[in-house]
């Protein structure tokens, strides 16, 4: 999976569904929609997203739209997943550099 281009990875994976804890996405008093239900990412969808992330940490709009269609979620959910994944990557690098620095100074 890691060596395949993301469009091939996405097209070969079966369709995924979003499970919701609450179906209430109706507008609130200000007219804006409330946050959509949480997206529970299954292992196959996660594998697709991780494979794409390894190839491209900043996917363009079209890539996000395609992933959203293929994974049956909004492109905004894809965008947020990539933002969160990049942040986890930065935190992991930061934690490992701090622990490496501490080990080398003792």
């Amino acid at each position: 999976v890691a060596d395949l281009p993301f469009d091939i990875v996405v097209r070969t994976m079966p369709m995924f569904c979003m499970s919701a804890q609450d179906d209430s996405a109706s507008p609130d008093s200000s007219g804006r929609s409330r946050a959509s239900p949480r997206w529970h990412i299954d292992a196959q969808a996660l594998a697709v997203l991780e494979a794409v992330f390894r190839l491209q940490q900043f996917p363009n709009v079209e890539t996000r739209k395609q992933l959203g269609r293929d994974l049956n979620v909004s492109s905004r959910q894809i965008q947020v997943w990539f933002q969160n994944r990049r942040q986890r990557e930065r935190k992991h690098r930061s934690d490992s550099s701090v622990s490496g620095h501490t080990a080398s100074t003792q």
Side-chain angles (χ1 to χ4, degrees), residues 2 8 44 47-48 53 63-64 66 72 84-85 90 94 105:
I8 293 174
Q44 290 177 318
V48 169
F53 183 80
T63 302
R64 291 193 310 263
Q66 184 63 47
N72 198 28
N84 291 340
R85 182 62 179 85
R90 283 190 289 270
S94 173
T105 57

Side-chain angles (χ1 to χ4, degrees), residues 60-70 73-75 78:
N60 61 28
V61 174
E62 284 306 313
T63 302
R64 291 193 310 263
K65 285 181 181 178
Q66 184 63 47
L67 282 168
R69 282 190 296 268
D70 293 342
V73 296
S74 70
S75 61
I78 299 296

Side-chain angles (χ1 to χ4, degrees), residues 15-23 25 36-42 45 71-74 77:
M15 290 301 290
F16 304 100
C17 64
M18 182 177 87
S19 63
Q21 294 175 337
D22 181 13
D23 292 332
S36 61
R38 291 185 64 87
W39 176 28
H40 298 282
I41 306 171
D42 64 17
L71 300 177
N72 198 28
V73 296
S74 70
Q77 288 172 290

Side-chain angles (χ1 to χ4, degrees), residues 88-102:
R88 275 197 314 269
E89 187 74 17
R90 283 190 289 270
K91 185 175 181 344
H92 176 72
R93 285 188 195 144
S94 173
D95 289 348
S96 62
S97 68
V98 169
S99 65
H101 177 69
T102 305

